């Protein structure tokens, strides 16, 4: 299980803000903030994405995909993710 402190460290190591992480993962900023504050459990997939984002090539690919998803209207954030 990943803690809020662990997630914050991973995002810091990857150079990501909570907003950027939300955009890349397709989560709402509110949901990511709940994880970061310890108000909600962090799903395994969020941990995995945070770890993958520490690799620059993965980060660049994810940013490109997130931007393309937003342009096509597929970038709506789902509160229950």
């Amino acid at each position: 299980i990943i803690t809020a402190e662990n997630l914050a460290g991973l995002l810091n190591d990857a150079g990501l803000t909570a907003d950027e992480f939300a955009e890349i993962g397709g989560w709402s900023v509110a949901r990511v903030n709940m994880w970061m504050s310890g108000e909600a459990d962090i799903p395994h997939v969020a941990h995995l994405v945070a770890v993958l984002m520490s690799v620059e090539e993965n980060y660049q690919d994810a940013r490109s995909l997130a931007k393309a998803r937003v342009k096509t209207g597929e970038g709506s954030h789902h509160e229950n993710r």
Side-chain angles (χ1 to χ4, degrees):
I1 295 179
I2 183 172
T3 66
E5 185 177 315
N6 295 140
L7 180 59
L10 287 169
L11 297 185
N12 186 57
D13 291 348
L16 287 172
T17 66
D19 289 7
E20 290 170 324
F21 185 62
E23 180 182 2
I24 288 169
W27 303 293
S28 70
V29 174
R31 174 64 56 193
V32 172
N33 286 334
M34 289 175 67
W35 298 336
M36 300 291 290
S37 68
E39 295 176 52
D41 290 338
I42 302 165
H44 177 74
V45 69
H47 181 196
L48 179 62
V49 170
V51 170
L52 289 171
M53 290 304 94
S54 66
V55 176
E56 182 65 25
E57 184 178 306
N58 292 341
Y59 170 77
Q60 294 302 328
D61 288 346
R63 293 290 298 159
S64 295
L65 290 170
K67 286 180 182 181
R69 187 175 63 229
V70 169
K71 284 182 182 179
T72 63
E74 296 176 25
S76 62
H77 297 287
H78 301 283
E79 273 303 312
N80 59 353
R81 285 192 177 175

